[in-house]
Amino acid sequence: MPNAKVLEQKQQIVKELTDKINGSIAGVIVDYKGISVADDTGLRKELREADVDYFVVKNTLLHRALEGTGLEDMRSVLEGTTAIALSKEDHTAAARILSKFADGHENFSIKTGFLEGKIVDNETIDALAKLPTRDVLLATVLGAFQAPIAAFARAVQAIVDKGDAPANAE
């Protein structure tokens, strides 16, 4: 039986992990075995740049942290090596980055994930991974809004240009 100090530390870790999960809009749990230190470092850098919190976690601690979150069914995948990626703002970042990484690394795999407090299957994670980034989506929407305005401006300019043409003397 662990001493009181160790038990208190583990309880604090579980509480912090629960708070992180509850404060996230999306998360992905992965099996990270078989990746090199260099690959892991690159993955962590990419996730950090996307503002995704990624860390290795003990299965027993994550099992306890999931209690009371509504995500208890995710505990069934908690075996082997486990890491979790959590995003507070971007629904697709963790899925996109981790799915791309898993495609290039045979032993690295996605176990499960959640979105807006609901557990999602791997097909949903794959669909999220295929969505463009938030910035690309915003640029596409803005482009769609600007197209009619630009066409109108060109039409008005054509009318103005036609009116400025010198009259043909007959």
Side-chain angles (χ1 to χ4, degrees):
M1 172 136 175
N3 66 33
K5 184 177 179 182
V6 171
L7 188 60
E8 184 178 319
Q9 288 173 337
K10 287 183 178 183
Q11 288 171 339
Q12 182 63 31
I13 291 169
V14 168
K15 182 187 179 315
E16 289 172 6
L17 187 52
T18 301
D19 291 344
K20 284 182 180 185
I21 291 168
N22 285 331
S24 300
I25 59 172
V28 178
I29 296 175
V30 298
D31 183 347
Y32 66 90
K33 74 175 173 261
I35 63 171
S36 69
V37 172
D39 286 344
D40 186 56
T41 301
L43 175 63
R44 287 174 184 269
K45 181 179 184 284
E46 189 174 357
L47 288 164
R48 191 171 40 253
E49 288 171 354
D51 202 24
V52 175
D53 196 10
Y54 175 80
F55 48 93
V56 172
V57 63
K58 289 186 175 186
N59 290 323
T60 54
L61 296 177
L62 184 54
H63 188 277
R64 292 179 195 268
L66 290 171
E67 290 175 14
T69 62
L71 302 170
E72 290 86 357
D73 289 345
M74 288 179 24
R75 295 185 293 194
S76 64
V77 301
L78 298 180
E79 32 185 69
T81 57
T82 301
I84 187 167
L86 300 170
S87 178
K88 293 179 184 178
E89 296 179 8
D90 190 340
H91 291 81
T92 64
R96 185 177 55 256
I97 294 167
L98 293 171
S99 289
K100 181 178 80 173
F101 190 83
D103 287 344
H105 297 83
E106 187 177 324
N107 293 326
F108 186 93
S109 63
I110 294 175
K111 293 182 179 184
T112 189
F114 70 92
L115 185 64
E116 295 286 345
K118 304 282 188 258
I119 298 171
V120 294
D121 57 13
N122 284 0
E123 290 82 27
T124 304
I125 293 171
D126 288 340
L128 285 171
K130 292 175 184 167
L131 290 175
T133 65
R134 182 178 186 271
D135 292 339
V136 170
L137 285 173
L138 287 174
T140 303
V141 169
L142 288 175
F145 284 145
Q146 287 180 335
I149 295 168
F152 176 71
R154 283 190 299 274
V156 169
Q157 188 62 45
I159 292 170
V160 169
D161 290 346
K162 190 174 186 180
D164 288 344
N168 289 340
E170 293 185 23

